[in-house]
Amino acid sequence: MKLNHKDLLGLEYLSKKEIELILKTAKPFKQLFTRTVKKVPTLRGKTVVLLFYEPSTRTRTSFELAAKRLSADTVNIAISTSSVVKGESLIDTAKTIEAMKADFVVIRHSMSGAAHIIAKTISASIINAGDGMHEHPTQGLLDIFTILEKKDRIKGLNIAIVGDILHSRVARSNIWGLNKLGANVFVVAPATLIPAEIYKMNVEVHYDISKIIHKLDVINILRIQKERQEQHLFPTLEEYSEIFGVNSEKLLNAKKDILIMHPGPMNRGIEISTEVADSKKSVITEQVTNGIAVRMAVLYLLADTDGGECESFNS
Amino acid sequence: MNLLILNGLVVDPANRICKKADILVENGKIVKIGKIQNAKCQMPNAKVIDAKNKIVTPGLIDIHTHLREPGHSDEETIASGTRAAASGGFTTIFAMPNTHPPIDSVTGVKFVLMTAMHEGIVNVLPVGAITKGQKGEELAEIGKMKNAGIVAISDDGKPVMNANIMRKALEYSKMFDLPVISHCEDTNLTKDGEMNEGYISTVLGLKGIPRQAEEIIVARDIALCELTDGRLHIAHISTAKSVELVRDAKKRGVKITAEVTPHHLSLTDKEIKNRNYDTNLKVNPPLRTEDDVKALLHGLADDTIDCIASDHAPHLAEEKQQEFKIAPSGIIGLETTLPLVITKLVHKKVLTLSQAIEKLTFNPAKIFNLNCGSLSIGSAADITIIDLNKTKTIDKFESKSKNSPFIGMKLIGFAITTIVGGKIVKENGKIISD
């Protein structure tokens, strides 16, 4: 089975089966990391362009490593030194990349829908590495992969996403993916950071994590951007930390095997205490590792190559 | 040239006419309506237009057109905008003042009138700014602009956020019997907004614009209108609650009128999702929900909403072909308004043909004291001939810009002939500008 899409623009557009296929495909790729040579020839001759309009360390590096471990050639376009600073439009940049015969374009952009524009414009496979407040599908997939690895299931789990839901593409991708696989999804945030009518996405909205902490299997904590305070979305970082920050005290009533997740980068002491971030419940660094495996799976499945079944890399 | 328009179904709401009749035009004026015996013998030199199976109406009036001149003649000019108007069946259009610089002085008003006289092919009536530079701080020279020829005042494109300035505008313009056209938007609530706030904006990750941003200013301006006894016209009304506010105000006798655009009557925010962030759906106020559309249609039918206006807002392709967030708001509408009204309102029996024509002719004329909008004997022969059954897929435009979400849509009912002051400016689908 292959994905029925040229691009990966969001988890909203994938079926449950397609999500399961990506997760299943990522498994043997992760086992590859234990080898001395962490590389397979699957995408030899293919070119992956990394087009990042926003600063990023982990997502960009993760995609680059994923592509390289599949033997693809990678090109990084640093926007600060590109024609974009001369005023080139996204569509013209896309057409230039197309003319250079790229097979994949991994795009990160501060504006929602940017990945859609580029996907409509060129024939290369587009992977959305985060567009504005819309989606960050590979982050959603790696989060689900990590939960699955630890809990062995998604269906029936109680999973809370805590923090700036309004501006979070990670939250939206998580909600689509987790709901499709049967989890019960809760969002917890100040009312000013809850987007309109989000309940229609089949989530329960809460303003106090203490009230639901006892039933949660997973807490996925989102980064709070300091500029939100300037937009009067909450009064002070101190207040945010006290009421919405996740610390050991709030976890006292939690299940013993609760998983703590964070897409990074973290603001220690604000949305998450150092004690929680570094505790045994935390799988934050494993999320980073799993990100590469999931991104390899996505590239592999979108490539439509004759590389054979991914299980063959397991040997 | 004298004209004989024969055998058409004449629909003239101003004179309560809806019957088969002939029309005789002499020296640019309507001289007779009714059965004209041996018409061709009586007027051997007249041009004869056979309007059999066609509708003959007063020339359509658009009270909300952005002509972009001066300042953005790459998007539209008075010449190209009036061609688009003629093509859409409009014989009179308002020129909104948010040009660069804004029309906030006699010089600006004269520029529009002179350019229209030399280069335009339909009547152009300037709207003056409410405030100097449309900055919302000081009243513009409203009286002098009235003497120069404006028909209303508006800071359209932006609201007058300062309630005290809006109060003064309503009070001051009353002396000149000039309606104040209000662009109702609380900019504190709409800052950085991209589309209607709701489930769709949440899913698409676009910054929402709550309906209350419009409704708060509609309510405020109604209150100010009551305070001042001024004349208030609400531009591009878009929410159910706004319609309710206008309806209640009218019941109380407040001097308020309202307009709605064809796109707010025929599209919802869902389309932005269905069409993957198509920036031709980015408008201000934003496309709302099905409930709002229903309320707008109801408001039109019960005469809460007086007029249908295009809010023709041309933008260059390169401006629209950008990320949704940075693409400008607005779409062109002069050439799609009439077919949308006929397709979505008349053929679907939301309005009778007569009601629809009334909202495009007589009502705007009445609200803004215009000397047009009817087929009265002795009036200038501004006439539109419409084929209710003509089907066409929207593809080409006379407008310089092509930013329309209706491209590719099959619509029924188009203007086939447009006559301005007895002169044919569109015939058989072609613009005649000489």
Side-chain angles (χ1 to χ4, degrees):
Chain A
M1 187 187 163
K2 292 282 178 190
L3 296 175
N4 290 323
H5 308 272
K6 171 175 88 70
D7 316 293
L8 177 65
L9 301 179
L11 296 193
E12 182 191 357
Y13 318 104
L14 293 186
S15 66
K16 181 185 172 194
K17 276 192 173 171
E18 286 173 310
I19 293 172
E20 285 170 344
L21 174 69
I22 296 169
L23 299 173
K24 189 179 153 203
T25 309
K27 255 188 173 179
F29 281 129
K30 188 177 179 187
Q31 283 167 17
L32 187 72
F33 302 168
T34 57
R35 289 203 206 160
T36 325
V37 178
K38 301 176 183 63
K39 204 163 178 173
V40 288
T42 317
L43 294 189
R44 196 158 51 200
K46 302 274 184 190
T47 308
V48 179
V49 170
L50 302 165
L51 182 61
F52 276 59
Y53 283 78
E54 270 188 343
S56 160
T57 307
R58 71 190 66 210
T59 306
R60 191 180 50 73
T61 311
S62 181
F63 268 110
E64 189 166 359
L65 280 174
K68 284 186 165 154
R69 286 178 185 177
L70 291 169
S71 302
D73 297 316
T74 60
V75 180
N76 263 291
I77 299 180
I79 290 305
S80 59
T81 55
S82 75
S83 296
V84 171
V85 291
K86 297 177 189 168
E88 187 173 70
S89 71
L90 179 58
I91 286 179
D92 283 340
T93 301
K95 284 178 180 165
T96 303
I97 293 169
E98 164 113 289
M100 292 175 179
K101 310 294 176 199
D103 300 289
F104 296 92
V105 179
V106 178
I107 178 172
R108 158 71 62 92
H109 201 290
S110 62
M111 296 178 205
S112 303
H116 285 262
I117 296 180
I118 206 163
K120 277 190 271 189
T121 308
I122 66 176
S123 59
S125 281
I126 309 302
I127 300 172
N128 181 4
D131 63 328
M133 310 187 294
H134 176 225
E135 281 223 45
H136 190 351
T138 55
Q139 181 69 45
L141 288 165
L142 77 89
D143 289 345
I144 296 169
F145 183 88
T146 308
I147 299 168
L148 200 55
E149 210 175 38
K150 297 291 171 188
K151 298 283 184 190
D152 229 24
R153 68 187 172 107
I154 298 293
K155 195 172 182 187
L157 291 181
N158 293 325
I159 300 171
I161 307 167
V162 184
D164 185 355
I165 311 295
L166 177 62
H167 299 96
S168 176
R169 50 200 174 210
V170 176
R172 285 163 176 81
S173 286
N174 266 267
I175 291 167
W176 287 118
L178 291 168
N179 266 327
K180 283 179 186 180
L181 299 184
N184 307 311
V185 184
F186 303 80
V187 293
V188 186
T192 46
L193 292 175
I194 297 282
E197 300 181 27
I198 197 169
Y199 60 89
K200 289 186 182 169
M201 290 181 82
N202 193 24
V203 297
E204 257 186 47
V205 178
H206 290 269
Y207 307 113
D208 184 355
I209 198 167
S210 306
K211 290 189 178 159
I212 52 167
I213 192 87
H214 60 280
K215 59 180 172 185
L216 296 179
D217 298 294
V218 180
I219 305 180
N220 197 352
I221 303 161
L222 303 175
R223 188 166 70 96
I224 195 78
Q225 285 185 279
K226 292 171 186 172
E227 73 247 33
R228 304 299 175 215
Q229 192 192 327
E230 288 154 26
Q231 296 165 5
H232 311 295
L233 292 164
F234 53 84
T236 60
L237 286 171
E238 290 74 20
E239 175 160 324
Y240 184 89
S241 174
E242 186 179 317
I243 298 177
F244 295 95
V246 178
N247 54 32
S248 307
E249 204 181 322
K250 285 187 188 145
L251 290 181
L252 283 175
N253 291 329
K255 289 181 183 175
K256 281 186 179 163
D257 60 347
I258 193 166
L259 287 188
I260 302 294
M261 305 177 76
H262 193 301
M266 289 182 279
N267 292 306
R268 289 172 181 262
I270 299 177
E271 72 265 6
I272 187 168
S273 70
T274 289
E275 209 183 348
V276 171
D278 297 338
S279 72
K280 286 187 179 167
K281 300 177 196 306
S282 163
V283 290
I284 295 168
T285 51
E286 284 171 75
Q287 285 175 265
V288 178
T289 308
N290 291 340
I292 303 173
V294 162
R295 287 169 180 129
M296 287 173 80
V298 168
L299 285 166
Y300 169 79
L301 290 167
L302 287 176
D304 198 23
T305 60
D306 296 323
E309 286 299 309
C310 50
E311 278 80 1
S312 62
F313 303 129
N314 203 4
S315 58
Chain B
M1 184 201 298
N2 296 330
L3 296 175
L4 264 172
I5 304 167
L6 301 179
N7 306 313
L9 175 67
V10 175
V11 179
D12 178 14
N15 292 303
R16 298 182 179 276
I17 295 174
C18 185
K19 65 175 184 186
K20 268 198 173 171
D22 307 321
I23 298 179
L24 177 59
V25 174
E26 275 180 14
N27 302 319
K29 294 196 184 312
I30 295 168
V31 295
K32 192 169 182 184
I33 295 184
K35 186 68 197 159
I36 302 172
Q37 300 292 342
N38 299 320
K40 288 177 192 172
C41 300
Q42 279 188 46
M43 299 286 297
N45 297 324
K47 179 181 167 66
V48 176
I49 298 172
D50 183 7
K52 194 175 176 194
N53 299 325
K54 307 290 186 296
I55 310 297
V56 182
T57 72
L60 308 183
I61 302 166
D62 187 42
I63 56 171
H64 200 142
T65 304
H66 297 275
L67 290 172
R68 302 294 189 223
E69 195 178 5
H72 276 293
S73 49
D74 48 346
E75 294 176 335
E76 195 78 284
T77 58
I78 290 173
S80 65
T82 56
R83 287 173 68 93
S87 179
F90 292 97
T91 56
T92 297
I93 57 175
F94 283 14
M96 297 309 276
N98 58 335
T99 48
H100 295 276
I103 308 298
D104 63 353
S105 67
V106 170
T107 312
V109 175
K110 282 186 176 165
F111 168 81
V112 173
L113 289 171
M114 291 298 283
T115 311
M117 190 196 296
H118 293 298
E119 298 171 17
I121 62 168
V122 305
N123 304 312
V124 177
L125 302 175
V127 174
I130 297 173
T131 62
K132 288 177 190 162
Q134 291 196 307
K135 289 181 182 164
E137 293 162 359
E138 298 171 78
L139 291 184
E141 290 180 329
I142 296 164
K144 284 172 75 179
M145 287 196 290
K146 162 79 180 182
N147 290 341
I150 61 166
V151 288
I153 51 171
S154 180
D155 273 0
D156 185 62
K158 325 176 194 180
V160 177
M161 277 302 291
N162 183 325
N164 189 39
I165 299 289
M166 190 62 175
R167 171 194 175 158
K168 304 294 181 215
L170 283 160
E171 272 173 349
Y172 194 77
S173 60
K174 199 168 63 167
M175 296 186 297
F176 308 104
D177 200 20
L178 273 179
V180 180
I181 302 174
S182 177
H183 170 118
C184 296
E185 174 186 348
D186 184 322
T187 51
N188 295 310
L189 283 170
T190 61
K191 189 169 182 288
D192 300 326
E194 297 169 86
M195 66 173 294
N196 181 52
E197 182 172 305
Y199 174 66
I200 305 290
S201 67
T202 290
V203 166
L204 291 177
L206 294 175
K207 174 95 188 325
I209 298 173
R211 59 194 61 247
Q212 286 76 6
E214 173 176 311
E215 294 153 1
I216 285 167
I217 304 296
V218 171
R220 181 201 75 170
D221 286 354
I222 288 170
L224 293 174
C225 192
E226 286 182 284
L227 170 70
T228 58
D229 196 31
R231 287 181 60 199
L232 178 69
H233 177 78
I234 306 291
H236 42 52
I237 195 168
S238 77
T239 81
K241 179 77 180 171
S242 294
V243 176
E244 212 177 295
L245 287 165
V246 172
R247 186 178 288 124
D248 290 347
K250 280 189 167 183
K251 277 183 195 160
R252 292 198 304 277
V254 182
K255 290 176 194 162
I256 182 174
T257 52
E259 74 189 32
V260 64
T261 74
H263 47 274
H264 287 110
L265 292 170
S266 55
L267 297 167
T268 66
D269 59 356
K270 273 188 191 161
E271 275 304 294
I272 300 170
K273 182 160 164 44
N274 294 345
R275 298 196 207 176
N276 288 324
Y277 298 89
D278 181 353
T279 56
N280 281 327
L281 297 160
K282 187 176 179 185
V283 287
N284 186 20
L287 299 175
R288 304 289 186 185
T289 64
E290 277 169 31
D291 286 345
D292 294 301
V293 170
K294 273 185 202 160
L296 293 170
L297 293 172
H298 187 239
L300 259 185
D302 74 2
D303 286 332
T304 300
I305 302 173
D306 307 85
C307 308
I308 299 167
S310 76
D311 195 4
H312 180 80
H315 291 292
L316 295 175
E318 54 264 38
E319 288 181 299
K320 277 289 194 181
Q321 285 167 6
Q322 296 192 90
E323 294 84 331
F324 203 88
K325 184 174 185 170
I326 52 178
S329 295
I331 60 173
I332 55 169
L334 283 171
E335 291 163 86
T336 49
T337 291
L338 179 65
L340 283 165
V341 166
I342 294 172
T343 309
K344 306 283 182 187
L345 304 180
V346 177
H347 284 305
K348 291 193 173 173
K349 301 192 185 310
V350 176
L351 298 179
T352 63
L353 178 62
S354 189
Q355 280 176 310
I357 297 302
E358 186 175 38
K359 289 175 194 294
L360 288 162
T361 58
F362 178 55
N363 285 359
K366 193 172 57 180
I367 294 165
F368 296 96
N369 301 321
L370 309 180
N371 192 20
C372 56
S374 81
L375 297 174
S376 301
I377 304 297
S379 65
D382 293 347
I383 300 169
T384 302
I385 303 177
I386 301 164
D387 184 344
L388 278 187
N389 298 312
K390 184 181 169 71
T391 302
K392 206 166 75 175
T393 301
I394 302 296
D395 57 352
K396 290 180 191 155
F397 298 98
E398 289 292 336
S399 172
K400 267 193 165 187
S401 295
K402 319 287 173 210
N403 51 312
S404 169
F406 301 108
I407 292 171
M409 191 178 280
K410 204 179 201 182
L411 297 174
I412 310 172
F414 288 82
I416 51 167
T417 302
T418 309
I419 300 163
V420 180
K423 185 179 164 192
I424 298 172
V425 292
K426 178 187 179 175
E427 191 174 27
N428 297 325
K430 285 190 181 151
I431 297 294
I432 302 158
S433 54
D434 297 331

